[in-house]
Amino acid sequence: MIVNSQSATSPQVIDCGAVDHTGPVSWSATARQEVETIIARYPDRRSATLPVLWLAVREFGWISHQVELITAEVLMRPLDEIHEVVTFYTMFPRRPLGRHQIEICRNISCWLAGAVNLRDYLKQRLGIGPGETTADGKFTLSEVECLAYCECAPALRFDDRYVGNLTRESIDRLLAEAE
Amino acid sequence: MLKLVTKNIGVENSHTLAVAREHGAYSRTAKALAMSPDDLVQEVIQSNLRGLGGAGFPAGRKWSFLPKDSPKPRYLVVNGDEGEPGTCKDKYIMIHDPHLLLEGIIIACWAIRSHKAFIYIRGEYDLPITRMEAAIAEAKAAGILGEKVMGHDFALDVVVHRGAGAYICGEETALLESLEGKRGWPRLKPPFPAVEGYMRCPTIVNNVETLSYVPFVVEMGGPAFAALGCERNGGLRMHTVSGRVNRPGVYELPVGTSLREIIYTHAGGIVGGRALKAVIPGGSSSPVLTADEIDVPMDFDSLAKIGSMAGSAGIIVFDETVSMVEALQVLIRFYAHESCGQCTPCREGTAWLEKIVTRILDQGGQPGDADNMLRIARNIMGNTICPLGDAAALPVISFVTKFRSEFEVWINKGRPVASIPLRPTHIGEPAMAS
Ligand SMILES: Cc1cc2nc3c(=O)[nH]c(=O)nc-3n(C[C@H](O)[C@H](O)[C@H](O)COP(=O)(O)O)c2cc1C
Ligand code: SF4
Ligand code: FES
């Protein structure tokens, strides 16, 4: 039996490019309430750290020093502990990103299926390398480890959608469709 | 062909409560709740259900290790981190049959007397996260979860916890640290999580797929489930096949199906009719097998006997055109990237190994390189807090030992042949333009 993947139907795009955190930031009233709802799910406040950071990414686009400060405050944890957590994980952006994030897999199954060529093609199409954002703020490209779509290799993650069985044609289509 | 955890995949709206119920969801919960927790644990022990997250530890026996008299609350933590390269099975259950997993969680929580479960899902898995959250909300509204599980005097709350991109958080103690709001640094064992886990309370950590088989164990009874597999390896499991095969995909098959059958019959053989060169049988951490070692049953014991591991059943296939030196670079780069950095042998060793392979590939190989790599890898083995160190060392040792001549060719003469051929990226789609 072969199983085919299904990708999300309604991609949620996080607009990160426009946020500037040079001054203090604060939680919106709804976000502050959500923080309390999240904390209530756990036997202690500290366990709410990852979900509260995810909420912060949704609210502020990226985790700046300012965002770490207000996260530490609601979680009643020392700032350095929050910083330690933020820097340990790869998915908490620590700088503004493009409007769309493209993450191409470089691990073994994708590599076997020619991901190197497709990464190079993406670099050429976007004019940037992994870790960079296009000048118009539209795309951020990164190379990531196994996305767990190895059966559809080569695979990439475009915002919160997965695209498998990647070809140059499907890359062209993706880039053309993105606003 | 018998299907259990994948049987509803393809059924329209299989992720919704109404459809899931039509197809049997929660029909086994009542039966389980009518049994005593201890009898339930016995049933799972008899089923020979093994942990399908990688280590293959018998599920029922793990449950029986919980301390009998601790006054602390007990937790069930579901491992949906799915980070082992070559493995992508758990997402199918979470996307298409979240209620099956929830039913497994309810039954397991009853068996271990836990009132709170966390499902830790890898951060990239947006759709599995959405589907699990929606399923929990539906189940709560229907009285399946909450103060009284299906009207029984048993309260259960289930919470989805989203990871944030760290492979090491799939390791159970790192996962617990992460759940506690810290960086995912593995803990020294013992104490094992069953004794001191989440918040230092007794905790069972089980893989998504493992728990999803539990309703079927209850439905058919432990011995009947055991009979579907082979000796000491009960039931079925999901095999992910990727790499140079004609039909990559996920196949649910009896535990103990031969690796040859999976590659040649189910996955359609090697792309382009080429010769098989090597297979990683159980996700990237398991030692590689050569083409003449594939007449092996894919069960935990048989693979261990020939020096490899069934692991997560992530089967990665290499054909004759693949360079094993280049492939090893991809693998070791991954472990160097994902080492949490706590132990010196793992942190330094993986980085050093990556440097050597890269140097070899850049035509800078030196005569002692192969032996050096073996020595470094052996020095990592057994000297680290968690099994990631071994997981990095084992592929190196197996690649360099079994394909040594290939390494020597690179070291002595530099690049032998262009080794990543262009190929159609997917059967049925136009070939990739060069
Ligand atoms: C480095 C490392 C990564 C792991 N990643 C996963 C994973 O992604 N998913 C998983 O279920 N188990 C993973 N495991 C295995 C878990 O530690 C643990 O054995 C498993 O979740 C227990 O569940 P099971 O007994 O049902 O298999 C990993 C182990 C190690 C050492
Ligand atoms: S073996 Fe590696 S990943 Fe595991 S605890 Fe040590 S440094 Fe971290
Ligand atoms: S190796 Fe690319 S998705 Fe797994």
Side-chain angles (χ1 to χ4, degrees):
Chain A
M1 185 223 33
I2 186 159
V3 181
N4 285 313
S5 334
Q6 188 178 331
S7 46
T9 40
S10 52
Q12 175 203 347
V13 176
I14 302 167
D15 188 334
C16 303
V19 191
D20 177 13
H21 296 188
T22 44
V25 294
S26 54
W27 300 101
S28 64
T30 29
R32 193 61 189 73
Q33 238 167 20
E34 250 180 276
V35 168
E36 292 310 318
T37 316
I38 291 170
I39 289 169
R41 290 186 201 134
Y42 297 90
D44 75 329
R45 253 184 140 71
R46 195 174 60 179
S47 294
T49 305
L50 259 56
V52 169
L53 284 168
W54 276 117
L55 178 69
V57 173
R58 196 193 75 198
E59 289 288 299
F60 306 108
W62 60 291
I63 310 285
S64 60
H65 177 68
Q66 309 292 342
V67 174
E68 283 182 8
L69 275 173
I70 61 166
T71 304
E73 199 182 342
V74 292
L75 292 170
M76 300 176 187
R77 292 186 70 181
L79 177 66
D80 61 328
E81 282 185 21
I82 300 298
H83 184 68
E84 206 175 77
V85 171
V86 171
T87 51
F88 182 81
Y89 299 92
T90 56
M91 290 183 78
F92 295 131
R94 275 149 56 222
R95 60 194 161 77
L97 301 174
R99 288 199 300 287
H100 298 289
Q101 277 116 66
I102 305 179
E103 300 172 322
I104 182 153
C105 175
R106 66 175 191 184
N107 215 299
I108 190 78
S109 311
C110 290
W111 175 79
L112 282 167
V116 177
N117 299 318
L118 294 165
R119 179 207 55 200
D120 290 344
Y121 183 64
L122 259 172
K123 277 164 67 176
Q124 177 208 321
R125 279 289 322 260
L126 297 172
I128 53 169
E132 296 173 357
T133 301
T134 52
D136 58 2
K138 195 165 171 184
F139 298 107
T140 300
L141 177 66
S142 30
E143 254 188 302
V144 294
E145 301 299 350
C146 183
L147 288 165
Y149 271 73
C150 326
E151 82 286 37
C152 306
L156 61 70
R157 187 167 175 264
F158 188 95
D159 296 330
D160 63 3
R161 256 188 317 148
Y162 284 87
V163 185
N165 305 323
L166 208 60
T167 58
R168 291 181 177 216
E169 292 72 26
S170 54
I171 288 176
D172 289 342
R173 248 188 336 266
L174 264 181
L175 297 184
E177 282 164 11
E179 301 102 52
Chain B
M1 198 161 278
L2 179 68
K3 294 190 218 165
L4 297 175
V5 297
T6 60
K7 102 182 130 69
N8 296 337
I9 296 174
V11 173
E12 205 180 340
N13 292 323
S14 59
H15 59 284
T16 61
L17 179 59
V19 176
R21 275 203 142 139
E22 276 169 39
H23 289 82
Y26 304 111
S27 62
R28 292 123 326 188
T29 314
K31 184 173 170 194
L33 292 175
M35 290 166 75
S36 80
D38 292 343
D39 288 348
L40 206 46
V41 173
Q42 282 311 315
E43 200 73 48
V44 176
I45 289 177
Q46 283 177 22
S47 74
N48 284 340
L49 172 63
R50 305 278 290 255
L52 302 174
F57 197 84
R61 267 186 48 218
K62 191 192 276 186
W63 296 2
S64 71
F65 288 161
L66 285 168
K68 292 271 176 271
D69 42 14
S70 165
K72 293 177 175 174
R74 292 153 170 228
Y75 294 102
L76 176 71
V77 174
V78 185
N79 193 340
D81 198 53
E82 188 133 88
E84 180 77 358
T87 314
C88 24
K89 58 190 181 68
D90 296 337
K91 70 168 187 268
Y92 284 102
I93 296 175
M94 296 189 278
I95 291 173
H96 298 282
D97 214 346
H99 288 285
L100 175 66
L101 174 57
L102 280 184
E103 186 173 23
I105 291 172
I106 295 172
I107 298 173
C109 283
W110 174 248
I112 66 170
R113 301 180 174 88
S114 163
H115 299 287
K116 185 120 190 159
F118 295 99
I119 313 175
Y120 189 105
I121 306 179
R122 70 177 288 170
E124 293 89 343
Y125 268 1
D126 305 87
L127 187 58
I129 291 168
T130 318
R131 289 272 168 93
M132 284 315 308
E133 282 175 341
I136 290 168
E138 272 187 308
K140 269 189 193 158
I144 294 166
L145 291 174
E147 283 307 309
K148 285 197 174 300
V149 168
M150 297 180 80
H152 286 72
D153 199 13
F154 173 53
L156 179 60
D157 183 37
V158 182
V159 172
V160 169
H161 192 89
R162 181 178 182 185
Y167 164 70
I168 192 59
C169 290
E171 194 280 327
E172 56 185 4
T173 61
L175 189 150
L176 294 172
E177 288 284 302
S178 178
L179 187 59
E180 288 179 7
K182 298 180 258 175
R183 10 168 221 211
W185 271 14
R187 300 175 184 166
L188 264 176
K189 292 193 273 194
F192 288 92
V195 179
E196 272 187 34
Y198 177 60
M199 309 276 297
R200 308 284 148 191
C201 296
T203 303
I204 293 296
V205 182
N206 268 141
N207 170 259
V208 164
E209 186 190 357
T210 311
L211 288 167
S212 300
Y213 277 113
V214 168
F216 298 102
V217 170
V218 170
E219 181 178 302
M220 60 180 73
F225 186 86
L228 297 174
C230 59
E231 201 189 341
R232 301 205 298 141
N233 291 260
L236 315 180
R237 76 179 301 192
M238 296 164 88
H239 301 76
T240 311
V241 192
S242 67
R244 301 275 169 86
V245 289
N246 285 317
R247 284 199 304 273
V250 175
Y251 299 86
E252 188 184 20
L253 298 164
V255 183
T257 304
S258 99
L259 188 51
R260 178 182 297 281
E261 180 187 329
I262 296 174
I263 294 172
Y264 283 97
T265 310
H266 302 286
I270 312 300
V271 166
R274 292 201 283 262
L276 175 69
K277 183 174 194 175
V279 188
I280 294 178
S284 67
S285 309
S286 54
V288 69
L289 301 175
T290 58
D292 49 19
E293 290 178 300
I294 63 168
D295 288 301
V296 60
M298 273 291 291
D299 66 80
F300 291 98
D301 304 322
S302 302
L303 276 152
K305 228 177 274 162
I306 62 164
S308 191
M309 299 182 317
S312 57
I315 299 167
I316 308 164
V317 179
F318 300 78
D319 69 49
E320 56 188 334
T321 65
V322 179
S323 157
M324 299 309 275
V325 187
E326 289 181 336
L328 185 62
Q329 186 199 29
V330 174
L331 291 175
I332 195 66
R333 179 181 64 191
F334 168 71
Y335 289 103
H337 183 261
E338 300 296 334
S339 165
C340 85
Q342 259 191 116
C343 326
T344 313
C346 170
R347 183 187 64 241
E348 305 289 329
T350 51
W352 192 3
L353 286 164
E354 185 193 350
K355 224 162 130 183
I356 297 178
V357 187
T358 306
R359 183 162 49 67
I360 293 174
L361 288 168
D362 289 343
Q363 328 255 325
Q366 292 161 10
D369 277 346
D371 286 326
N372 241 338
M373 288 174 72
L374 289 174
R375 188 176 52 82
I376 298 165
R378 289 194 180 116
N379 276 319
I380 300 175
M381 294 273 299
N383 290 321
T384 57
I385 294 175
C386 92
L388 184 132
D390 288 6
L394 289 166
V396 173
I397 294 172
S398 60
F399 271 64
V400 176
T401 311
K402 292 184 178 174
F403 297 94
R404 181 153 186 143
S405 58
E406 225 176 290
F407 282 80
E408 299 293 354
V409 169
W410 274 92
I411 291 166
N412 298 330
K413 305 201 194 92
R415 175 177 291 270
V417 280
S419 43
I420 305 181
L422 293 178
R423 54 172 284 267
T425 48
H426 183 59
I427 309 311
E429 286 222 353
M432 188 165 69
S434 58

